[in-house]
Amino acid sequence: MEEQLSAIFARFRGTAGEVIPLLQKTQEELGFLPEEAMRRIGDFAGVPFSKVYGVATFYTMFRFTPVGKYHVCVCRGTACHVRGADQILEHVERELGISENETTGDGEFSLETVACIGCCALAPCITVNSDVHGRLTSKKASQVLKKARGAALKEEEDGK
Amino acid sequence: MEYVYCIIDGKKIESDKDRTILEVAQENGIQIPTLCHSDVLAPTGACRLCLVEVTGARTLMPSCATRIGDLPGERIVQTHSDKVRQARRIVLELLWSAHPNDCTLCEKSGACDLQKYSYEYNVDIEKYRSRDPYDFAPDYNNPYYVRDYNKCILCGRCIRACAELQGNYVLDFARRGFSTMVSTPMGAELMDANCVFCGNCVALCPTGALVEKERLGRGREWEFQKTHTTCPYCGCGCTFELCTKDNEIIKVDSSDARKNIVNRTALCVKGRFGLGFVNSADRLNHPLVRRVPKGEATGTLQDYERAPWNEVLDLVANRLLEIKAACGPDAIGGFSSARATNEENYLFQKMMRAAVGTNNVDHCARLCHASTVAGLAKAFGSGAMTNSIDEIIDSDCILVTGSNTTETHPIVSLEIKKAVSRGARLIVIEPRNIELCDIAEINLHQRPGTDVAWLNGMMHVIIEEGLEDREFMEERCENFDAVREAVKGYTPERVERITGIPADDLRRAARIYATAERATILYAMGITQHTSGTDNVLSVANLAMLCGQIGRRSTGVNPLRGQNNVQGACDMGALPNVYPGYQRVDDFSVQAKFEQAWGVKLDNKIGMTVTRMMEVAQGGTLKALYIMGENPMVTDPDISHVEKALRNLDFLVVQDIFPTETALLADVILPGVSFAEKTGTFTNTERRVQMVRQAIEPLGERRQDFQIICEVSRRLGYKMSYSDQAAVMKEIAKLTPSYGGISHKRLETEGGLQWPCTDSRHPGTAFLHSGGFVRGRGLFSPCEYRDPAELPDEAFPITLTTGRVLEHYHSGSMTRRSAPLNEHVPTAWVEISPDLAKNLGVKEGERVAVTSRRGRIETVARVTNKVNGDVIFIPFHFAEAAANRLTNPALDPVAQIPEYKVCAVRIDRV
């Protein structure tokens, strides 16, 4: 983490106004915001740790626990809600065997719900990492997850 | 300042345009409700309760954050129009959407702002009631206060108190919307979040969200009797209101900043949560006389029997008279007390001098700032803090040395932190990594006891680089040439070899100090408690004079005095060489003055110091000792030696509020009263005399200390009789030029007064030596570096330094009887650097024995970066592992102050 943070800090000047971009870059790099990283960001930007924590908890985009390799966000915005977001959520939960804000035991998948991802025309939709999957049905959702899982397995095999 | 007119509630008012509507309204007696606002915090305009209607403005405006100059048109403001009242009502009703409706059970009821305004605005509590209210579990996980965030209205006062008053930034808002709450980082427990438990957040909380633990269930706000008084702990001189009920202290209230000159709202953990000792169960309630022979004494209260006051006082007087008749008055000595009032100190030294007939009177200033009194009196003519605490904030350079200010003078440290955040450059020169190091520009860690060397080194650099203030020295000082010669040999490279301070760092520090517009030096025991203590102080004075950094606002040489009234005890002449006001006992005209005033023949021979009396007692020439409010069995160096000395006395009287380690060696114990049970004055470190007011009645047969002294004196054949302590102060003012204008009456109406205050119209003096030095010209004194008396060697290879911690105070007789403090920090430890711990094979939390040539203690190892290399630190508060069993009683030759700060020890695992 030390090296990653140093690399991130190298691109900033260390001012109070940079706290949010610093948090974003750090999360991008580490997948979440560990306590030590936020403490270091505070020291670097000259902002008290308590304030960094306050800022980080204000925005839902920041997280404080590691997420799965595939992070699934189920949209519950108005359009998705009307088109059955609840069923999609229930289905994904069943499929992955975890509830909202949890991570699978193998660390592959994590699940959360979000207010709107701005793809209302494609409702109902979910995101898996940065990919959007729209016009979902339960079946299609299963395929998306399966594909991700397949990719994971393939990666693993390739790794070997 | 530019003045403009405004009209508030129909009243035409002229005001500075930079003031806020709220401030101007309050000054003109117009009340505007506020929740997030506090006079001691910057405005945030968050709560929207202080909204007012401004003619021509688009919306209602927050009066706390709107400047008069920014108002449109004719600046017409209505603070209580229907529109305003309606808006405020809605704000309050929205707060009630989640606030528990439990005023009947809430501790804060009667002092709660939400409750007060809800009544005033006739709110409908149910109007916006949430069906899903807060459900936080109240947090009881610290010894001091309870956090119940169900009652939090998110005004942010606690957050700003922590940031702006304390400079600690432990709290902030976390999460958002309805889930917003006040939180430590990661929601950690306060005990793990760097909280110092000053409780300033508790003082400012408008509701029952933050409440002192000790008050729970012990009374409602309207039942409290409030007494404004001065804190009995350190020399900062904070004031507060004691809230009492049924003769017990329930809590401390500092919320009304206007009443507290020094501290405004701020207090430290001891002042706010550490007064439980007053009502402690083991207070002395009756006079006690030891009934078993000395040889059979067990050193417990079982050796003693209650006796009537008259009998005990007769016994004390008769024994003292016998000894005086047999061995002369100089066989008797007295320890006065830096904890007692000025009036009591005055009477005690008067009793010793006029009734006993000896100048053998001293007190524990001998052990803390005797070298300051000696050194600064020689250099400037006055041995006190030259400037005031509130001037620190305007210094550009602050040099802190030998003072762990955040722990020992917490309120002074707040000013340092504020100054640094406003751009002042902080130089810390300390053997340990103290908290102030975190915000300092330069941190230098000298080897303990090498201060003359680095001070000379700094002067060497300043002179070499031509940064000295020649004009100042020529006009106002003398004997500079001698110092110039003396510091010639102290090149930074040589200083580095002696002190361990890198030469270039010393150069940088010297340049910063010398070139600052206003530089101040703050120091404490790290400078004074050495065999070279007086030289250290003289060197500090040399440095200030060399750079002309004295005699102006926000500059100066500022010894931070350790105890509530150690300044006053010195001022009152509880010293062997001077009468009140530092008038010398060996000056014939002074002697004549006091002989006439007191109507008795006085001795002109300088008496013995505390340290000397201990020595002589062991030799047997001192036969009797009268100790008032001191505990040398914990606080004096080399306790085994002290114990031998005290046991060797023919007669020992101790007047105290507790059966201390010292009291339990006495022949007679006299129960005095605590600060909460008496009226008088304390003089704080910045020479400010402030009132101490009686809040509760003495229980049992405890007597006012001034009355005890008068009774003993009368029985010794010298009549002293005063109606109250105000009458004593009258006599003090008459005989002490610097206190000439001070009276209880004036202090009642004007608050504190800083001496010199020479007549009844004198406003007091914020900083000394402004036109010229008190002694005329400032005297430079050359000093050569000398090694500490005891250096590490093969047998004792480690250097021990001692000191205080935030939560405890001196011998612990008060703090260890105050439950929250004792729960938080129950016992002693030794700080060992990671390197040293590794070499010794000692682990964190392991029990170790620390041994010096004088004694051995066992305690727990704390492996920490707070100490460096082979230097270890032990706090001296804890009798069961008393650091002073180890310390070296070697004395400074001038001031006779012992070298608490350096001795050689060995560490063994047990």
Side-chain angles (χ1 to χ4, degrees), chain A residues 50-114:
Chain A
S50 54
K51 185 121 250 160
V52 175
Y53 179 73
V55 169
T57 52
F58 182 86
Y59 296 101
T60 49
M61 65 181 162
F62 293 122
R63 55 185 124 266
F64 309 101
T65 48
V67 289
K69 198 153 151 199
Y70 295 96
H71 185 60
V72 181
C73 294
V74 176
C75 179
R76 305 182 82 172
T78 314
C80 292
H81 174 74
V82 170
R83 309 227 18 180
D86 282 355
Q87 285 97 308
I88 299 290
L89 176 62
E90 244 172 65
H91 184 77
V92 172
E93 282 179 338
R94 206 166 39 238
E95 192 93 338
L96 296 177
I98 54 172
S99 302
E100 199 181 330
N101 296 325
E102 287 182 357
T103 305
T104 54
D106 58 5
E108 290 296 322
F109 287 93
S110 50
L111 173 64
E112 70 172 337
T113 62
V114 293

Side-chain angles (χ1 to χ4, degrees), chain B residues 92-151:
Chain B
L92 291 165
E93 282 165 349
L94 285 168
L95 288 174
W96 276 107
S97 69
H99 195 86
N101 183 8
D102 68 346
C103 299
T104 38
L105 295 174
C106 182
E107 296 287 342
K108 206 58 182 284
S109 185
C112 169
D113 289 343
L114 179 63
Q115 187 190 42
K116 179 171 89 179
Y117 296 133
S118 297
Y119 174 82
E120 193 179 323
Y121 286 82
N122 192 23
V123 302
D124 178 356
I125 288 173
E126 296 300 327
K127 195 163 180 184
Y128 303 111
R129 204 76 179 148
S130 167
R131 270 169 294 167
D132 193 15
Y134 288 147
D135 188 20
F136 297 114
D139 170 17
Y140 290 88
N141 295 333
N142 73 73
Y144 303 103
Y145 58 93
V146 184
R147 298 193 291 166
D148 182 354
Y149 285 140
N150 298 303
K151 296 181 182 176

